[in-house]
Amino acid sequence: MSQSLRVAFAGTPDFAAASLAALLESRHEVVSVHTQPDRGAGRGRKLKPSPVKALALDHDLPIHQPTTLKDAAARQALADCNADVLVVVAYGLILPQAVLDIPRLGCLNVHASLLPRWRGAAPIQRAIEAGDTRSGVTIMQMDAGLDTGDMLLVRDTPITATTTSGELHDRLATLGGKAIVEALDALSDTGLAATPQPAEGVTYATKLSKAEAELDFTRPAAELADRVRAFNPWPVAWTRLADEPLRLWLAEPAPDNGTAAAPGTLLESTPDALRIACGPDGTQVLHITRAQLPGGKPLAVRDLLNARGERFAPGQLLGQETTS
């Protein structure tokens, strides 16, 4: 007979809410939800609940919002849930060993990478930036290290030449929800074997910053295209066009130009793409297919040229500050 587990859940953003939603539709019982405190949002900085809290409110679940799990009161709140397992998804707080030891089946994490590749804060974006052709989710038995716990279940998915971080995020969120339910089902029915992570192939996904989103056109076209997709929808790759920022939403490498131009030169504005010289010697070409001028919306290049075509005269050098 199938057994049901009592599940405490800890998570905060949309990615985590997808796993909570899957658990709520499973045979397991979600007995409490831990999430980050409400944050100010919008012009008035009005406090707004996290996506996980909003979902928990819709289902009348007990909600806890400690600022740390290092104090006794926060740990007692978790212990009082009498949960069999704590599921952790993009929670945002470090779990000390005293918390990891509370549930009888421990704490399971839904991590958005194929561990041990891309441990850390931004696994989805770093996988695309590095040109990986596959990503996935790993259900991990948490320990005190940074994403170093034993693996219980892995599910993978392809990264194509057009996959953006936003698209992969949504796909992995759904995959993570299915995987954690599958893992809990197996854990309660027959048990689930844990596999230590390989010692080889470890990489770390450092947190994204706005500063790194400015493109350097001396880099190869394929690398630049990967960075544009990795930084979509945040922080969004950008360059300078006549001293104003031009945000770049979609791009692809194109066949080499054959002749050299200064990296960053706007070679041509076609209805489908802005053709930018790039690479160490300026012979490679990057096609920008979707971009955004200050005060405007992201537009396909055809629409951008129809609206503001005078801004994209061939021969301009992008990425350079002009001098008066």
Side-chain angles (χ1 to χ4, degrees):
M1 180 178 177
S2 298
Q3 299 295 313
S4 173
L5 295 176
R6 288 174 59 83
V7 179
F9 186 87
T12 300
D14 287 328
F15 187 86
S19 286
L20 177 58
L23 290 169
L24 290 169
E25 293 182 358
S26 74
R27 72 179 193 232
H28 305 290
E29 180 187 6
V30 179
V31 296
S32 72
V33 169
H34 284 62
T35 190
Q36 288 274 317
D38 297 359
R39 307 291 189 199
R43 290 185 176 179
R45 306 305 295 168
K46 184 178 179 182
L47 289 179
K48 182 179 180 181
S50 73
V52 163
K53 181 179 178 180
L55 183 58
L57 288 170
D58 289 342
H59 290 78
D60 295 323
L61 295 171
I63 297 169
H64 305 277
Q65 296 180 277
T67 57
T68 178
L69 292 175
K70 295 179 179 178
D71 64 59
R75 292 196 297 272
Q76 189 60 49
L78 178 60
D80 289 344
C81 299
N82 194 28
D84 297 306
V85 62
L86 173 64
V87 172
V88 182
V89 190
Y91 180 29
L93 289 183
I94 295 174
L95 272 61
Q97 189 63 49
V99 169
L100 297 174
D101 292 338
I102 291 175
R104 71 176 181 87
L105 295 175
C107 302
L108 304 191
N109 177 238
V110 180
H111 186 74
S113 84
L114 301 174
L115 290 171
R117 189 161 174 79
W118 303 127
R119 294 172 176 169
I124 296 173
Q125 296 88 345
R126 297 305 181 195
I128 293 177
E129 183 186 14
D132 291 3
T133 57
R134 300 203 71 77
S135 180
V137 293
T138 303
I139 306 302
M140 177 182 61
Q141 186 82 55
M142 295 181 71
D143 62 17
L146 175 62
D147 300 327
T148 55
D150 291 350
M151 300 181 296
L152 295 170
L153 189 148
V154 177
R155 293 291 179 266
D156 69 350
T157 187
I159 297 175
T160 72
T162 60
T163 302
T164 66
S165 287
E167 293 164 352
L168 185 57
H169 167 282
D170 293 349
R171 203 187 322 152
L172 292 181
T174 300
L175 195 61
K178 293 178 180 177
I180 189 61
V181 170
E182 184 180 349
L184 293 183
D185 287 350
L187 200 61
S188 62
D189 290 344
T190 59
L192 198 55
T195 303
Q197 295 185 31
E200 299 78 23
V202 175
T203 58
Y204 290 92
T206 55
K207 189 176 180 180
L208 295 178
S209 70
K210 288 186 177 180
E212 66 181 305
E214 183 177 4
L215 293 190
D216 174 1
F217 288 108
T218 65
R219 304 303 302 169
E223 178 182 314
L224 293 172
D226 287 342
R227 288 173 66 81
V228 171
R229 292 185 295 109
F231 297 156
N232 178 349
W234 194 91
V236 184
W238 69 282
T239 187
R240 291 182 175 83
L241 174 67
D243 282 344
E244 286 195 319
L246 176 67
R247 305 178 89 193
L248 310 174
W249 287 86
L250 290 176
E252 58 190 25
D256 287 3
N257 190 36
T259 57
T265 300
L266 176 56
L267 301 170
E268 186 181 10
S269 300
T270 76
D272 296 321
L274 304 175
R275 289 169 45 80
I276 312 296
C278 62
D281 59 3
T283 61
Q284 298 184 34
V285 180
L286 181 71
H287 278 184
I288 304 297
T289 58
R290 191 173 183 83
Q292 180 183 14
L293 284 167
K297 299 178 180 178
L299 293 173
V301 162
R302 181 185 301 272
D303 297 326
L304 197 62
L305 294 176
N306 286 338
R308 305 288 300 276
E310 76 283 358
R311 300 292 305 277
F312 299 95
Q316 294 182 82
L317 197 58
L318 278 66
Q320 300 287 324
E321 293 186 51
T322 59
T323 56
S324 56

